[in-house]
Amino acid sequence: MDYEIVIGLEIHTELKTNSKIFCGCSTKFGSEQNTNVCPVCLGLPGVLPVINEKVVEFAIKAGVALNCEILPFSKFDRKNYYYPDLPKNFQTSQYDLPIAVNGHLDIEVNGETKRINITRIHMEEDAGKLVHSGATISSSDSALVDYNRTGVPLLEIVSEPDIRSAEEARAYLEKVKAILEYLDVSDCKMEEGSLRCDANISLRPHGQAALGTKAEIKNLNSFRSVQRGIEYEVIRQEEILDDGGRVIQETRTWDENKGITASMRSKEQAHDYRYLPEPDLVPIVVDPARVAEIRANLPELPDARRQRLMNDYGLSEYDAGIITSSKAVADYFDQSVQNNGDAKVVANWLMGEVSKHLNSEGITILDCPVSPKQLTELLTLIEKGTISNKIAKTVFEEMWTSRKDAEVIVKEKGLVQISDSSEIVAIVESVIAANPQSVADFKAGKDKAIGFLVGQIMKQTKGRANPDMVNTLLRERL
């Protein structure tokens, strides 16, 4: 049977605050285990939480950027469940009155724009972290608990089940991440758990209105995992349904090494959590004037920035989209252009040599050893004709490892381009004299022969000869 894929995503993002949501403990990542804790976030008897005002501000900012309605009255609730990383035996979250509702986000996949509706955005506290003895939960015989993450502020962004493929899910997650980065409300470091995603997947026969039974893949922490996990789960459910079986509503985990999902537990319903209003926190009343102020002061967001790069610099929609998909990359681009760099050349280098080196070392643009100013200086040397584009790539390699400026490397290694026509003519004539067969081939109409001769000239000059002058002078002599 031909099935329609139905996907909804629950995106969890840790907010970029200095302190936790209900206490003054630090949110710093990587601290020694169980040191960023206090009686409040450990849930000891007799303590009272106090809401972090910055969390509310960041939630409103995210809600406005994601086209949500900000509710004037919202409250916190207790979500009751037992798990070793939850010291209170309940999570303080929001249930029936979240901070933001009814949003949407437009994504582009395969040249088409699609709107994904957003059900709600709510604030909550993160749980602690279980460190398992094995590579996966199922292969572990013990676990240790680090409560440093307990009480770190989270936003949960819940989409409607409007997503119809793994590619759409990835595009949606990537765009939400970009918006959160532009807002500067989260660092979105997926490798550190600052941004993670639960995917709810179900299948139904095409044309059927009722949704199928869903399975949830928990805690996907990379774009690749989201796409691969969904693709696997779709195949798994198709096989069950085609065999006449029934998909079980459950929570599953993604095993990155094996490339499969595995059952964790039956999927809970809302009533299983026994939600009740949080008696220790007053409701949140949001002044519409405050929402208007936040809306008026939103930074330039990815779509607007992409349009600006297209309008101001003539970049293609594809190039502008790639650059603006990451705020850090877009900032690097803008800084390079502000240093008098040619926008299109900067874009080509960003998506070429810079990206290649970042990917090979598994780092982001924030850790790039070549600054925007240094890149612009390198491109200026090309523009002036001091070095060729080919030599520039060699210089860039050296800049990456040595952290030296381009001009210093060019002088130290004697890489200044030869643009003296008399010097090039002498080399051209010697190459012509040494390769009579190639000369004869060229005169016989074999244009490819000139490529060999150019190669010999560049070899003699160690790549330093001006390639345009070489081609012109060689053809003149021939």
Side-chain angles (χ1 to χ4, degrees):
M1 186 176 288
D2 189 20
Y3 299 103
E4 181 182 31
I5 303 166
V6 180
I7 302 165
L9 294 188
E10 299 169 8
I11 298 172
H12 305 261
T13 184
E14 291 182 354
L15 296 178
K16 199 174 176 181
T17 56
N18 293 324
S19 57
K20 294 184 180 182
I21 186 168
F22 300 125
C23 67
C25 291
S26 170
T27 58
K28 184 180 179 183
F29 179 82
S31 299
E32 185 179 349
Q33 292 89 342
N34 297 307
T35 55
N36 294 338
V37 293
C38 73
V40 174
C41 54
L42 287 176
L44 299 185
V47 298
L48 287 173
V50 178
I51 182 65
N52 183 335
E53 187 178 0
K54 203 72 175 174
V55 173
V56 179
E57 178 189 327
F58 283 177
I60 295 171
K61 190 178 285 190
V64 169
L66 293 170
N67 306 295
C68 291
E69 172 193 353
I70 307 301
L71 292 188
F73 182 94
S74 65
K75 66 179 176 65
F76 284 100
D77 301 274
R78 291 187 178 184
K79 181 180 181 180
N80 295 276
Y81 66 96
Y82 172 76
Y83 209 63
D85 60 10
L86 197 68
K88 297 186 295 189
N89 286 344
F90 67 85
Q91 179 189 34
T92 304
S93 182
Q94 292 189 295
Y95 177 47
D96 55 333
L97 289 172
I99 188 74
V101 296
N102 302 330
H104 66 264
L105 187 62
D106 293 335
I107 61 170
E108 292 79 34
V109 177
N110 299 325
E112 294 186 4
T113 300
K114 179 172 181 177
R115 175 157 294 183
I116 308 299
N117 290 296
I118 296 170
T119 311
R120 57 189 280 141
I121 298 175
H122 63 260
M123 301 174 285
E124 62 186 19
E125 60 183 343
D126 208 345
K129 182 178 181 180
L130 288 178
V131 183
H132 298 279
S133 60
T136 62
I137 295 174
S138 56
S139 65
S140 300
D141 56 14
S142 65
L144 300 174
V145 190
D146 179 6
Y147 287 120
N148 279 348
R149 197 173 68 182
T150 303
V152 168
L154 275 183
L155 283 189
E156 182 171 342
I157 303 166
V158 183
S159 83
E160 288 288 316
D162 293 340
I163 299 167
R164 293 293 177 265
S165 69
E167 291 78 15
E168 287 183 11
R170 178 170 184 156
Y172 171 75
L173 180 59
E174 286 177 338
K175 193 159 186 179
V176 170
K177 175 179 182 286
I179 289 172
L180 295 173
E181 287 178 331
Y182 275 67
L183 294 173
D184 200 29
V185 299
S186 174
D187 62 26
C188 293
K189 293 180 179 177
M190 300 183 83
E191 70 280 3
E192 295 181 2
S194 296
L195 185 74
R196 49 195 191 271
C197 173
D198 301 337
N200 293 283
I201 304 134
S202 66
L203 303 182
R204 63 182 174 188
H206 273 284
Q208 177 179 300
L211 295 173
T213 303
K214 68 182 178 182
E216 178 187 45
I217 312 176
K218 200 77 175 167
N219 289 333
L220 296 162
N221 64 354
S222 73
F223 298 127
R224 183 170 182 265
S225 294
V226 168
Q227 185 159 351
R228 291 181 67 214
I230 291 172
E231 288 170 348
Y232 173 85
E233 186 60 22
V234 167
I235 293 171
R236 187 189 74 85
Q237 292 187 24
E238 282 179 342
E239 291 176 349
I240 291 172
L241 295 174
D242 286 343
D243 288 342
R246 183 172 61 88
V247 175
I248 299 171
Q249 182 163 317
E250 61 181 343
T251 299
R252 300 178 69 84
T253 183
W254 169 248
D255 188 321
E256 184 69 38
N257 295 325
K258 293 181 180 178
I260 63 171
T261 63
S263 180
M264 287 176 66
R265 58 182 179 269
S266 62
K267 174 67 177 170
E268 297 87 352
Q269 301 285 354
H271 63 260
D272 293 322
Y273 292 119
R274 307 187 314 281
Y275 280 101
L276 63 111
E278 170 55 73
D280 292 337
L281 288 165
V282 296
I284 298 166
V285 177
V286 179
D287 185 348
R290 179 65 177 136
V291 177
E293 180 186 357
I294 289 173
R295 190 187 303 277
N297 289 289
L298 283 182
E300 184 181 43
L301 295 176
D303 284 351
R305 198 169 196 174
R306 178 180 64 179
Q307 196 60 50
R308 175 170 65 80
L309 298 194
M310 292 166 61
N311 294 342
D312 293 358
Y313 303 122
L315 297 190
S316 69
E317 185 174 3
Y318 174 81
D319 289 354
I322 293 292
I323 289 169
T324 57
S325 64
S326 163
K327 180 178 183 296
V329 172
D331 288 346
Y332 190 104
F333 171 85
D334 276 340
Q335 289 170 34
S336 298
V337 173
Q338 286 164 12
N339 286 322
N340 299 318
D342 181 281
K344 290 185 178 179
V345 177
V346 170
N348 289 337
W349 272 77
L350 254 183
M351 295 184 294
E353 290 301 304
V354 176
S355 290
K356 183 180 81 174
H357 283 71
L358 293 174
N359 292 336
S360 68
E361 295 195 13
I363 60 176
T364 70
I365 196 79
L366 294 172
D367 299 313
C368 181
V370 179
S371 69
K373 182 173 181 290
Q374 286 178 308
L375 179 64
T376 305
E377 289 170 352
L378 173 66
L379 302 184
T380 300
L381 292 178
I382 302 172
E383 186 183 354
K384 288 180 177 178
T386 306
I387 56 175
S388 66
N389 204 57
K390 184 178 180 181
I391 291 293
K393 292 180 180 180
T394 303
V395 173
F396 184 80
E397 291 270 2
E398 182 69 21
M399 292 170 70
W400 191 273
T401 54
S402 71
R403 313 297 201 262
K404 293 180 181 177
D405 292 341
E407 197 165 350
V408 172
I409 294 168
V410 168
K411 288 179 180 177
E412 285 180 353
K413 296 189 174 292
L415 297 174
V416 176
Q417 184 169 256
I418 301 170
S419 297
D420 183 337
S421 59
S422 60
E423 188 175 349
I424 294 175
V425 164
I427 299 167
V428 167
E429 290 178 343
S430 70
V431 168
I432 288 173
N435 296 277
Q437 185 58 53
S438 293
V439 173
D441 289 344
F442 174 76
K443 291 185 175 180
K446 296 179 181 178
D447 252 17
K448 287 184 179 179
I450 201 167
F452 172 79
L453 296 171
V454 169
Q456 293 302 302
I457 295 166
M458 299 308 287
K459 185 177 178 181
Q460 279 199 33
T461 61
K462 298 180 179 177
R464 292 169 53 220
N466 183 311
D468 291 336
M469 292 184 71
V470 166
N471 273 285
T472 301
L473 294 171
L474 179 59
R475 287 181 180 276
E476 284 178 1
R477 290 302 182 275
L478 289 172

